[in-house]
Amino acid sequence: MTVSDKTTNDIFCNAVEALKDPLPQRVWSVIVSLFGDIAQEEGDQISGVALTEVGRLMGIRSEAIRVALHRLRKDGWIESLRDGRSSMHKLTAAGRDASISATPKIYAREPVTTPGWYIICTDRDLHGDTGKTLFSAGIPLSRNSFLVAENKLPDTANMLVFRASPEHVPDWARSEICPDELQQAAVTLETSLQKASSYIAAPPGFDALQTTALRTLIVHRWRRIALRIPDAPVCFFPNTWRGEACQKLSSGLLNQLPAPNLHDLETAASGYRHRDLSV
């Protein structure tokens, strides 16, 4: 290994450590993030060897990758095909549809919100059809009140309806929109992304596997937050909300680490076992 290789490896390892999720890792979910990022198109396939090597670089054991793939096949996310002595894996049609539907929110560069909002109050039994409709259409603010986007307004007969243009939003309402756990997750992720950015300020020639590993960690950590952020007016978020900062940092890092093509990924994977690049 040359001095340059060692420097690149050190930078890579530091970035991986910065980006590792402090919470218990669901390997099947990490794999979903990986496929959604670089192999979302129909016909895109990734070999078991490549998945194993990318996982190893992220600190995931090969046994955990195999178990996760088994679960994803069982749940209808992944289809596996034999290719000689190895296997190729790809998203099913249902897996692609789910990934495509999540893509706009994960990769958006700016927060996306619906312009018109209403507050609906009702005294009806929320355990029946009314409750199902309101919980599906809106965001609960209290036991019988909901914040609902104008494009999701249900039949509001016998309900009290206000156009939402509040002069003041109390902390309890902000907490309903953005719970403490989601706020803390964003604070933690911002710190991780800032650390990773300091290491990847000038990408030192990462190969396709290293790039994929870093992108997967970034996408996965942000995805876990992005898909939980409600589409709500900015005034309903706490003043300490760091979601927008995470969005900008993740977008910036992904721009610095362009997604490799699958051919380069497989080529890199085929020779990786002969290199000392463990994390």
Side-chain angles (χ1 to χ4, degrees), residues 153-182:
L153 273 177
D155 180 3
T156 56
N158 297 318
M159 298 183 192
L160 191 60
V161 182
F162 300 91
R163 182 174 288 277
S165 54
E167 295 183 7
H168 174 68
V169 179
D171 289 342
W172 65 262
R174 296 177 190 270
S175 294
E176 289 295 329
I177 295 294
C178 191
D180 290 344
E181 190 240 337
L182 182 58

Side-chain angles (χ1 to χ4, degrees), residues 9-162:
N9 184 45
D10 289 343
I11 293 172
F12 171 77
C13 290
N14 287 334
V16 167
E17 283 302 314
L19 291 168
K20 279 184 177 178
D21 198 333
L23 298 176
Q25 195 161 227
R26 294 183 174 89
V27 178
W28 64 268
S29 186
V30 174
I31 293 176
V32 168
S33 296
L34 191 160
F35 272 90
D37 185 47
I38 67 168
Q40 193 182 95
E41 300 298 321
E42 185 173 3
D44 285 349
Q45 300 181 98
I46 302 178
S47 70
V49 171
L51 287 175
T52 298
E53 292 302 316
V54 172
R56 183 172 66 86
L57 291 176
M58 292 188 288
I60 301 173
R61 297 169 58 123
S62 59
E63 293 85 353
I65 295 288
R66 285 195 291 271
V67 171
L69 286 171
H70 176 74
R71 171 174 177 168
L72 289 169
R73 283 192 295 269
K74 183 179 178 181
D75 291 346
W77 269 92
I78 293 289
E79 179 182 356
S80 299
L81 307 168
R82 295 297 299 178
D83 182 19
R85 296 177 60 185
S86 62
S87 296
M88 301 299 293
H89 310 278
K90 64 179 183 178
L91 289 172
T92 62
R96 283 196 308 276
D97 288 345
S99 293
I100 290 170
S101 68
T103 291
K105 199 159 189 179
I106 296 171
Y107 295 92
R109 296 180 181 275
E110 299 290 339
V112 179
T113 60
T114 304
W117 290 86
Y118 292 85
I119 293 176
I120 295 177
C121 301
T122 178
D123 63 351
R124 293 188 176 186
D125 177 12
L126 296 184
H127 295 293
D129 291 339
T130 299
K132 291 180 181 178
T133 298
L134 288 175
F135 278 107
S136 174
I139 303 166
L141 295 176
S142 64
R143 182 178 178 183
N144 293 90
S145 63
F146 294 79
L147 182 67
V148 183
E150 63 182 0
N151 61 352
K152 293 184 178 179
L153 273 177
D155 180 3
T156 56
N158 297 318
M159 298 183 192
L160 191 60
V161 182
F162 300 91

